[in-house]
Amino acid sequence: EVQLVESGGGLVQPGGSLRLSCAASGFTFSSYWMSWVRQAPGKGLEWVANIKQDGSEKYYVDSVKGRFTISRDNAKNSLYLQMNSLRAEDTAVYYCARASYGYRIDYWGQGTLVTVSS
Amino acid sequence: DIQMTQSPSSLSASVGDRVTITCQASQDISNYLNWYQQKPGKAPKLLIYDASNLETGVPSRFSGSGSGTDFTFTISSLQPEDIATYYCQQYDNLPPVLTFGGGTKVEIK
């Protein structure tokens, strides 16, 4: 059974940093693109970033470029999202997701809430 | 960047009704279009991939069609458990980015 379990969310002040983690199991992690997708309270879904199987390619939505970094450790079956210079508009539930072929999000974690507020 | 226009933003229908949601891309995306269902407080779930392919385990009352710029998602006979918000999602490979539509909230009349 595919499982994606996020951790690391919480309350952070504007301008602060946070690192999200995602533990994957039930599939060959190193064979899949992985994604982060977020959802602000009461709003729709927004794709945040993608990373290729070997970490050689990374892509971001324009609003987080230069502030967020996606990474992975295939030996630990783990995905990460380093978030710096956080803003109030980054407040959201962040989902770790498996992206088959880089674009078909076929499995999602339960999400972790990030709140940016003073 | 490719923009996705999903409509309607909400709808109310009776059990057994046929429900249709549309998604329009601002430029040709071939069949790189997926549909998701999200129930309150839950993570989204993939229903349809590549415009018209039913994900394994998804009931056959769900279907998708279209290619190019215009896409349609249909529930052939609305059931109480289908109450959710539905999202389309497109993939643009130059550069590789994903974009979700604004969502359609489906309620029972």
Side-chain angles (χ1 to χ4, degrees):
Chain A
E1 177 194 8
V2 172
Q3 285 198 316
L4 299 167
V5 180
E6 303 94 337
S7 60
L11 176 64
V12 60
Q13 292 188 340
S17 298
L18 211 55
R19 188 194 196 208
L20 304 184
S21 299
C22 171
S25 61
F27 66 102
T28 305
F29 181 73
S30 59
S31 296
Y32 289 86
W33 284 79
M34 295 296 294
S35 299
W36 288 99
V37 177
R38 67 183 178 183
Q39 186 169 35
K43 302 297 184 182
L45 300 169
E46 180 181 42
W47 168 78
V48 174
N50 261 15
I51 185 168
K52 196 176 178 180
Q53 289 93 328
D54 61 358
S56 61
E57 295 182 33
K58 305 175 184 182
Y59 302 98
Y60 302 90
V61 68
D62 285 348
S63 59
V64 308
K65 283 180 183 175
R67 301 188 300 123
F68 289 13
T69 302
I70 188 171
S71 62
R72 65 192 295 162
D73 185 336
N74 287 343
K76 294 183 178 180
N77 289 342
S78 293
L79 178 72
Y80 307 100
L81 186 67
Q82 177 67 43
M83 304 185 294
N84 298 331
S85 303
L86 282 161
R87 307 166 180 167
E89 54 265 35
D90 295 318
T91 294
V93 172
Y94 285 73
Y95 293 101
C96 166
R98 189 179 87 170
S100 290
Y101 309 105
Y103 69 93
R104 182 191 310 169
I105 301 180
D106 53 4
Y107 286 95
W108 302 69
Q110 84 287 352
T112 187
L113 177 62
V114 172
T115 303
V116 184
S117 174
S118 54
Chain B
D1 291 358
I2 297 177
Q3 306 303 315
M4 300 300 295
T5 303
Q6 184 175 343
S7 62
S9 57
S10 65
L11 66 88
S12 182
S14 300
V15 173
D17 281 356
R18 184 180 185 87
V19 168
T20 299
I21 300 168
T22 64
C23 224
Q24 185 170 57
S26 58
Q27 56 187 274
D28 191 336
I29 59 170
S30 184
N31 67 335
Y32 288 119
L33 194 286
N34 304 319
W35 292 95
Y36 301 86
Q37 175 193 65
Q38 187 179 32
K39 296 184 177 181
K42 300 293 187 181
K45 174 186 175 182
L46 177 66
L47 299 181
I48 303 287
Y49 65 92
D50 295 348
S52 61
N53 295 287
L54 194 67
E55 177 73 344
T56 303
V58 174
S60 58
R61 64 180 180 274
F62 297 101
S63 64
S65 64
S67 67
T69 60
D70 295 301
F71 301 87
T72 301
F73 172 81
T74 300
I75 307 173
S76 60
S77 177
L78 186 67
Q79 300 301 303
E81 60 267 32
D82 299 336
I83 300 312
T85 299
Y86 294 84
Y87 295 92
C88 62
Q89 171 249 313
Q90 70 87 21
Y91 168 73
D92 182 5
N93 65 351
L94 290 172
V97 298
L98 280 61
T99 307
F100 288 92
T104 298
K105 187 174 184 179
V106 174
E107 298 176 321
I108 294 287
K109 193 181 295 183

Short mmCIF file of all heavy atoms in Angstrom, two decimals, chain A residues 35 37 39 43-47 50 59-60 62 95 101-106 108-110, chain B residues 1 32 34 36 38 42-46 49-50 55 87 89 91 95-98 100 102:
data_model
loop_
_atom_site.label_atom_id
_atom_site.label_comp_id
_atom_site.label_asym_id
_atom_site.label_seq_id
_atom_site.Cartn_x
_atom_site.Cartn_y
_atom_site.Cartn_z
N SER A 35 6.02 15.47 -5.96
CA SER A 35 5.52 16.85 -5.98
C SER A 35 5.13 17.32 -4.59
O SER A 35 4.87 16.53 -3.69
CB SER A 35 4.26 16.94 -6.86
OG SER A 35 4.49 16.58 -8.18
N VAL A 37 2.09 19.98 -3.32
CA VAL A 37 0.90 20.75 -3.71
C VAL A 37 0.34 21.37 -2.44
O VAL A 37 0.33 20.73 -1.39
CB VAL A 37 -0.16 19.84 -4.36
CG1 VAL A 37 -1.42 20.64 -4.70
CG2 VAL A 37 0.40 19.16 -5.61
N GLN A 39 -2.74 23.99 -0.41
CA GLN A 39 -4.13 24.47 -0.44
C GLN A 39 -4.32 25.45 0.71
O GLN A 39 -4.32 25.06 1.88
CB GLN A 39 -5.09 23.29 -0.32
CG GLN A 39 -6.54 23.67 -0.49
CD GLN A 39 -7.42 22.44 -0.63
OE1 GLN A 39 -7.19 21.39 -0.03
NE2 GLN A 39 -8.45 22.55 -1.47
N LYS A 43 -9.51 27.55 0.01
CA LYS A 43 -9.17 27.84 -1.38
C LYS A 43 -8.92 26.56 -2.17
O LYS A 43 -9.03 25.45 -1.65
CB LYS A 43 -7.93 28.74 -1.44
CG LYS A 43 -8.09 30.06 -0.70
CD LYS A 43 -9.19 30.92 -1.30
CE LYS A 43 -9.28 32.27 -0.60
NZ LYS A 43 -10.38 33.11 -1.16
N GLY A 44 -8.54 26.73 -3.43
CA GLY A 44 -8.28 25.60 -4.31
C GLY A 44 -6.86 25.07 -4.19
O GLY A 44 -6.06 25.52 -3.38
N LEU A 45 -6.57 24.10 -5.04
CA LEU A 45 -5.26 23.46 -5.04
C LEU A 45 -4.27 24.28 -5.87
O LEU A 45 -4.61 24.83 -6.91
CB LEU A 45 -5.38 22.05 -5.64
CG LEU A 45 -6.32 21.10 -4.91
CD1 LEU A 45 -6.54 19.85 -5.75
CD2 LEU A 45 -5.77 20.74 -3.54
N GLU A 46 -3.01 24.31 -5.39
CA GLU A 46 -1.94 24.98 -6.12
C GLU A 46 -0.71 24.09 -6.11
O GLU A 46 -0.17 23.76 -5.04
CB GLU A 46 -1.61 26.34 -5.50
CG GLU A 46 -0.49 27.06 -6.25
CD GLU A 46 -0.12 28.40 -5.64
OE1 GLU A 46 -0.02 28.49 -4.39
OE2 GLU A 46 0.12 29.36 -6.40
N TRP A 47 -0.26 23.71 -7.30
CA TRP A 47 0.99 22.97 -7.41
C TRP A 47 2.15 23.88 -7.00
O TRP A 47 2.18 25.05 -7.37
CB TRP A 47 1.17 22.49 -8.85
CG TRP A 47 2.53 21.96 -9.15
CD1 TRP A 47 3.02 20.73 -8.83
CD2 TRP A 47 3.58 22.64 -9.84
NE1 TRP A 47 4.32 20.62 -9.27
CE2 TRP A 47 4.68 21.78 -9.89
CE3 TRP A 47 3.69 23.91 -10.41
CZ2 TRP A 47 5.88 22.12 -10.51
CZ3 TRP A 47 4.89 24.26 -11.03
CH2 TRP A 47 5.97 23.38 -11.07
N ASN A 50 8.00 20.24 -8.34
CA ASN A 50 8.22 18.86 -8.80
C ASN A 50 9.70 18.55 -8.77
O ASN A 50 10.52 19.44 -9.00
CB ASN A 50 7.76 18.72 -10.26
CG ASN A 50 6.38 18.12 -10.40
OD1 ASN A 50 5.63 18.04 -9.44
ND2 ASN A 50 6.05 17.71 -11.61
N TYR A 59 11.33 21.88 -10.59
CA TYR A 59 10.51 22.94 -11.15
C TYR A 59 9.60 23.50 -10.07
O TYR A 59 9.17 22.78 -9.17
CB TYR A 59 9.69 22.41 -12.33
CG TYR A 59 10.55 21.82 -13.41
CD1 TYR A 59 10.76 20.44 -13.48
CD2 TYR A 59 11.20 22.63 -14.34
CE1 TYR A 59 11.58 19.89 -14.46
CE2 TYR A 59 12.02 22.09 -15.31
CZ TYR A 59 12.22 20.73 -15.36
OH TYR A 59 13.03 20.19 -16.32
N TYR A 60 9.34 24.81 -10.19
CA TYR A 60 8.58 25.52 -9.14
C TYR A 60 7.52 26.43 -9.75
O TYR A 60 7.69 26.95 -10.85
CB TYR A 60 9.53 26.38 -8.31
CG TYR A 60 10.65 25.63 -7.63
CD1 TYR A 60 11.88 25.45 -8.28
CD2 TYR A 60 10.49 25.09 -6.36
CE1 TYR A 60 12.91 24.76 -7.67
CE2 TYR A 60 11.52 24.40 -5.73
CZ TYR A 60 12.72 24.24 -6.40
OH TYR A 60 13.75 23.55 -5.79
N ASP A 62 5.88 30.03 -9.97
CA ASP A 62 6.59 31.31 -9.93
C ASP A 62 6.61 31.95 -8.55
O ASP A 62 7.61 32.56 -8.14
CB ASP A 62 5.97 32.29 -10.93
CG ASP A 62 6.33 31.96 -12.37
OD1 ASP A 62 7.23 31.13 -12.59
OD2 ASP A 62 5.68 32.52 -13.29
N TYR A 95 0.64 19.27 0.74
CA TYR A 95 0.54 17.84 0.46
C TYR A 95 1.78 17.35 -0.27
O TYR A 95 2.23 17.98 -1.25
CB TYR A 95 -0.67 17.56 -0.44
CG TYR A 95 -2.01 17.81 0.17
CD1 TYR A 95 -2.73 18.97 -0.10
CD2 TYR A 95 -2.61 16.86 1.02
CE1 TYR A 95 -3.99 19.18 0.44
CE2 TYR A 95 -3.87 17.07 1.56
CZ TYR A 95 -4.55 18.23 1.27
OH TYR A 95 -5.80 18.44 1.80
N TYR A 101 4.85 9.93 -14.19
CA TYR A 101 5.24 10.57 -15.46
C TYR A 101 5.44 12.07 -15.31
O TYR A 101 5.49 12.79 -16.29
CB TYR A 101 4.20 10.29 -16.55
CG TYR A 101 3.87 8.83 -16.67
CD1 TYR A 101 2.68 8.32 -16.17
CD2 TYR A 101 4.77 7.94 -17.25
CE1 TYR A 101 2.38 6.97 -16.26
CE2 TYR A 101 4.48 6.59 -17.33
CZ TYR A 101 3.28 6.11 -16.83
OH TYR A 101 3.00 4.78 -16.91
N GLY A 102 5.52 12.53 -14.10
CA GLY A 102 5.78 13.95 -13.84
C GLY A 102 4.56 14.82 -13.78
O GLY A 102 4.64 15.99 -13.44
N TYR A 103 3.37 14.28 -14.10
CA TYR A 103 2.20 15.15 -14.16
C TYR A 103 0.91 14.52 -13.68
O TYR A 103 -0.09 15.22 -13.52
CB TYR A 103 1.98 15.62 -15.60
CG TYR A 103 1.53 14.53 -16.55
CD1 TYR A 103 0.19 14.31 -16.79
CD2 TYR A 103 2.46 13.72 -17.20
CE1 TYR A 103 -0.22 13.31 -17.65
CE2 TYR A 103 2.06 12.72 -18.06
CZ TYR A 103 0.72 12.52 -18.28
OH TYR A 103 0.31 11.54 -19.14
N ARG A 104 0.90 13.22 -13.43
CA ARG A 104 -0.33 12.56 -12.99
C ARG A 104 -0.18 12.27 -11.50
O ARG A 104 0.52 11.36 -11.09
CB ARG A 104 -0.54 11.28 -13.76
CG ARG A 104 -1.81 10.54 -13.43
CD ARG A 104 -1.81 9.16 -14.03
NE ARG A 104 -1.49 9.14 -15.42
CZ ARG A 104 -1.23 8.01 -16.12
NH1 ARG A 104 -1.27 6.85 -15.50
NH2 ARG A 104 -0.95 8.07 -17.39
N ILE A 105 -0.86 13.06 -10.66
CA ILE A 105 -0.70 12.92 -9.22
C ILE A 105 -1.64 11.83 -8.73
O ILE A 105 -2.83 12.06 -8.53
CB ILE A 105 -0.96 14.25 -8.50
CG1 ILE A 105 0.02 15.30 -9.04
CG2 ILE A 105 -0.77 14.08 -7.00
CD1 ILE A 105 -0.12 16.67 -8.41
N ASP A 106 -1.07 10.63 -8.55
CA ASP A 106 -1.92 9.47 -8.28
C ASP A 106 -1.97 9.07 -6.80
O ASP A 106 -2.82 8.26 -6.42
CB ASP A 106 -1.53 8.29 -9.17
CG ASP A 106 -0.06 7.94 -9.12
OD1 ASP A 106 0.68 8.58 -8.33
OD2 ASP A 106 0.36 7.06 -9.89
N TRP A 108 -1.54 10.89 -2.71
CA TRP A 108 -1.38 12.10 -1.90
C TRP A 108 -1.18 11.72 -0.45
O TRP A 108 -1.75 10.73 0.03
CB TRP A 108 -2.63 12.96 -2.00
CG TRP A 108 -3.03 13.41 -3.37
CD1 TRP A 108 -3.50 12.63 -4.39
CD2 TRP A 108 -3.02 14.75 -3.86
NE1 TRP A 108 -3.78 13.41 -5.48
CE2 TRP A 108 -3.50 14.72 -5.19
CE3 TRP A 108 -2.67 15.99 -3.32
CZ2 TRP A 108 -3.62 15.86 -5.98
CZ3 TRP A 108 -2.79 17.13 -4.10
CH2 TRP A 108 -3.26 17.06 -5.42
N GLY A 109 -0.41 12.53 0.28
CA GLY A 109 -0.35 12.37 1.72
C GLY A 109 -1.57 13.00 2.36
O GLY A 109 -2.46 13.51 1.67
N GLN A 110 -1.60 13.02 3.69
CA GLN A 110 -2.75 13.59 4.40
C GLN A 110 -2.61 15.09 4.59
O GLN A 110 -3.57 15.77 4.94
CB GLN A 110 -2.92 12.90 5.77
CG GLN A 110 -2.07 13.47 6.90
CD GLN A 110 -0.59 13.09 6.78
OE1 GLN A 110 -0.19 12.29 5.93
NE2 GLN A 110 0.23 13.67 7.65
N ASP B 1 2.31 31.33 -19.57
CA ASP B 1 1.77 30.19 -18.83
C ASP B 1 0.34 29.88 -19.29
O ASP B 1 -0.42 30.77 -19.63
CB ASP B 1 1.76 30.49 -17.33
CG ASP B 1 3.16 30.55 -16.74
OD1 ASP B 1 4.11 30.31 -17.49
OD2 ASP B 1 3.27 30.82 -15.53
N TYR B 32 -3.25 16.20 -21.88
CA TYR B 32 -2.61 16.27 -20.56
C TYR B 32 -3.55 16.93 -19.55
O TYR B 32 -3.26 18.00 -19.01
CB TYR B 32 -1.29 17.01 -20.64
CG TYR B 32 -0.19 16.27 -21.34
CD1 TYR B 32 0.39 16.78 -22.50
CD2 TYR B 32 0.28 15.06 -20.84
CE1 TYR B 32 1.41 16.10 -23.15
CE2 TYR B 32 1.30 14.37 -21.48
CZ TYR B 32 1.86 14.89 -22.63
OH TYR B 32 2.88 14.22 -23.26
N ASN B 34 -6.09 16.00 -16.16
CA ASN B 34 -6.53 15.05 -15.14
C ASN B 34 -7.66 15.66 -14.31
O ASN B 34 -7.79 16.88 -14.22
CB ASN B 34 -5.37 14.69 -14.21
CG ASN B 34 -4.17 14.14 -14.98
OD1 ASN B 34 -4.33 13.36 -15.92
ND2 ASN B 34 -2.98 14.56 -14.57
N TYR B 36 -9.68 15.40 -10.43
CA TYR B 36 -9.57 14.96 -9.05
C TYR B 36 -10.85 15.26 -8.29
O TYR B 36 -11.55 16.23 -8.59
CB TYR B 36 -8.40 15.66 -8.34
CG TYR B 36 -7.07 15.43 -8.99
CD1 TYR B 36 -6.65 16.25 -10.03
CD2 TYR B 36 -6.23 14.42 -8.57
CE1 TYR B 36 -5.42 16.04 -10.65
CE2 TYR B 36 -5.00 14.20 -9.17
CZ TYR B 36 -4.61 15.02 -10.21
OH TYR B 36 -3.39 14.81 -10.82
N GLN B 38 -12.13 15.95 -4.29
CA GLN B 38 -11.69 16.23 -2.93
C GLN B 38 -12.90 16.38 -2.02
O GLN B 38 -13.71 17.30 -2.20
CB GLN B 38 -10.83 17.49 -2.85
CG GLN B 38 -10.23 17.70 -1.46
CD GLN B 38 -9.36 18.93 -1.34
OE1 GLN B 38 -9.59 19.94 -2.00
NE2 GLN B 38 -8.33 18.85 -0.50
N LYS B 42 -10.24 16.08 3.45
CA LYS B 42 -9.47 14.95 2.92
C LYS B 42 -8.54 15.41 1.80
O LYS B 42 -8.71 16.48 1.22
CB LYS B 42 -10.41 13.87 2.36
CG LYS B 42 -11.37 13.30 3.39
CD LYS B 42 -10.64 12.50 4.44
CE LYS B 42 -11.61 11.79 5.38
NZ LYS B 42 -10.88 11.03 6.44
N ALA B 43 -7.55 14.56 1.50
CA ALA B 43 -6.68 14.82 0.37
C ALA B 43 -7.43 14.53 -0.94
O ALA B 43 -8.37 13.73 -0.95
CB ALA B 43 -5.43 13.93 0.45
N PRO B 44 -7.03 15.18 -2.02
CA PRO B 44 -7.65 14.89 -3.32
C PRO B 44 -7.40 13.45 -3.75
O PRO B 44 -6.48 12.79 -3.26
CB PRO B 44 -6.95 15.87 -4.27
CG PRO B 44 -6.44 16.95 -3.39
CD PRO B 44 -6.06 16.27 -2.11
N LYS B 45 -8.24 13.00 -4.68
CA LYS B 45 -8.14 11.64 -5.21
C LYS B 45 -8.22 11.72 -6.73
O LYS B 45 -9.10 12.40 -7.28
CB LYS B 45 -9.29 10.79 -4.67
CG LYS B 45 -9.39 9.39 -5.26
CD LYS B 45 -10.65 8.70 -4.77
CE LYS B 45 -10.84 7.34 -5.44
NZ LYS B 45 -12.10 6.69 -5.00
N LEU B 46 -7.31 11.05 -7.40
CA LEU B 46 -7.32 11.03 -8.86
C LEU B 46 -8.46 10.17 -9.37
O LEU B 46 -8.61 9.02 -8.97
CB LEU B 46 -5.98 10.48 -9.37
CG LEU B 46 -5.83 10.31 -10.89
CD1 LEU B 46 -5.86 11.67 -11.59
CD2 LEU B 46 -4.54 9.56 -11.21
N TYR B 49 -7.42 10.31 -15.71
CA TYR B 49 -6.13 10.79 -16.19
C TYR B 49 -6.07 10.79 -17.71
O TYR B 49 -6.81 10.06 -18.36
CB TYR B 49 -4.97 9.98 -15.59
CG TYR B 49 -4.93 8.53 -16.01
CD1 TYR B 49 -4.21 8.12 -17.12
CD2 TYR B 49 -5.61 7.57 -15.27
CE1 TYR B 49 -4.17 6.79 -17.50
CE2 TYR B 49 -5.59 6.23 -15.64
CZ TYR B 49 -4.86 5.85 -16.75
OH TYR B 49 -4.83 4.54 -17.13
N ASP B 50 -5.23 11.65 -18.23
CA ASP B 50 -5.08 11.79 -19.69
C ASP B 50 -6.44 12.01 -20.36
O ASP B 50 -6.75 11.39 -21.39
CB ASP B 50 -4.35 10.60 -20.29
CG ASP B 50 -2.91 10.49 -19.81
OD1 ASP B 50 -2.43 11.45 -19.18
OD2 ASP B 50 -2.29 9.44 -20.02
N GLU B 55 -9.20 6.00 -13.56
CA GLU B 55 -8.22 5.44 -12.63
C GLU B 55 -8.78 4.14 -12.05
O GLU B 55 -9.99 4.00 -11.85
CB GLU B 55 -7.91 6.46 -11.52
CG GLU B 55 -6.96 5.99 -10.44
CD GLU B 55 -5.50 5.89 -10.88
OE1 GLU B 55 -5.24 5.89 -12.10
OE2 GLU B 55 -4.63 5.81 -10.00
N TYR B 87 -11.65 19.07 -9.27
CA TYR B 87 -10.62 19.93 -9.89
C TYR B 87 -10.09 19.30 -11.17
O TYR B 87 -9.82 18.09 -11.20
CB TYR B 87 -9.43 20.13 -8.95
CG TYR B 87 -9.73 20.88 -7.68
CD1 TYR B 87 -10.10 20.20 -6.52
CD2 TYR B 87 -9.61 22.27 -7.62
CE1 TYR B 87 -10.35 20.89 -5.34
CE2 TYR B 87 -9.86 22.96 -6.45
CZ TYR B 87 -10.23 22.26 -5.32
OH TYR B 87 -10.49 22.94 -4.14
N GLN B 89 -6.77 19.49 -13.81
CA GLN B 89 -5.35 19.82 -13.67
C GLN B 89 -4.67 19.55 -15.01
O GLN B 89 -4.82 18.48 -15.58
CB GLN B 89 -4.70 18.98 -12.57
CG GLN B 89 -3.18 19.09 -12.50
CD GLN B 89 -2.49 17.80 -12.92
OE1 GLN B 89 -2.86 16.70 -12.49
NE2 GLN B 89 -1.47 17.90 -13.77
N TYR B 91 -1.06 19.79 -17.56
CA TYR B 91 0.40 19.69 -17.54
C TYR B 91 0.95 20.37 -18.78
O TYR B 91 0.51 20.10 -19.90
CB TYR B 91 0.83 18.23 -17.50
CG TYR B 91 2.30 18.02 -17.75
CD1 TYR B 91 3.23 18.35 -16.78
CD2 TYR B 91 2.74 17.48 -18.95
CE1 TYR B 91 4.58 18.14 -17.01
CE2 TYR B 91 4.09 17.27 -19.18
CZ TYR B 91 5.01 17.60 -18.20
OH TYR B 91 6.33 17.40 -18.42
N PRO B 95 7.72 25.42 -19.62
CA PRO B 95 8.47 24.46 -18.81
C PRO B 95 7.52 23.49 -18.12
O PRO B 95 6.32 23.73 -18.12
CB PRO B 95 9.16 25.38 -17.78
CG PRO B 95 8.18 26.49 -17.60
CD PRO B 95 7.54 26.70 -18.95
N PRO B 96 8.04 22.46 -17.54
CA PRO B 96 7.16 21.46 -16.89
C PRO B 96 6.51 22.03 -15.64
O PRO B 96 7.12 22.12 -14.58
CB PRO B 96 8.12 20.32 -16.54
CG PRO B 96 9.32 20.53 -17.37
CD PRO B 96 9.43 22.02 -17.53
N VAL B 97 5.27 22.43 -15.78
CA VAL B 97 4.50 22.93 -14.63
C VAL B 97 3.11 22.33 -14.66
O VAL B 97 2.62 21.92 -15.71
CB VAL B 97 4.40 24.48 -14.64
CG1 VAL B 97 5.77 25.11 -14.53
CG2 VAL B 97 3.68 24.97 -15.86
N LEU B 98 2.51 22.26 -13.49
CA LEU B 98 1.15 21.76 -13.37
C LEU B 98 0.25 22.92 -12.94
O LEU B 98 0.65 23.75 -12.12
CB LEU B 98 1.08 20.66 -12.30
CG LEU B 98 1.53 19.25 -12.66
CD1 LEU B 98 3.00 19.21 -13.08
CD2 LEU B 98 1.29 18.30 -11.50
N PHE B 100 -3.85 23.76 -11.70
CA PHE B 100 -5.19 23.28 -11.36
C PHE B 100 -6.23 24.32 -11.76
O PHE B 100 -5.98 25.53 -11.71
CB PHE B 100 -5.29 23.04 -9.85
CG PHE B 100 -4.54 21.83 -9.37
CD1 PHE B 100 -3.23 21.95 -8.93
CD2 PHE B 100 -5.14 20.59 -9.35
CE1 PHE B 100 -2.52 20.84 -8.49
CE2 PHE B 100 -4.45 19.47 -8.91
CZ PHE B 100 -3.14 19.60 -8.48
N GLY B 102 -9.98 26.09 -10.95
CA GLY B 102 -10.44 26.70 -9.71
C GLY B 102 -11.33 25.82 -8.85
O GLY B 102 -11.59 26.15 -7.69
#
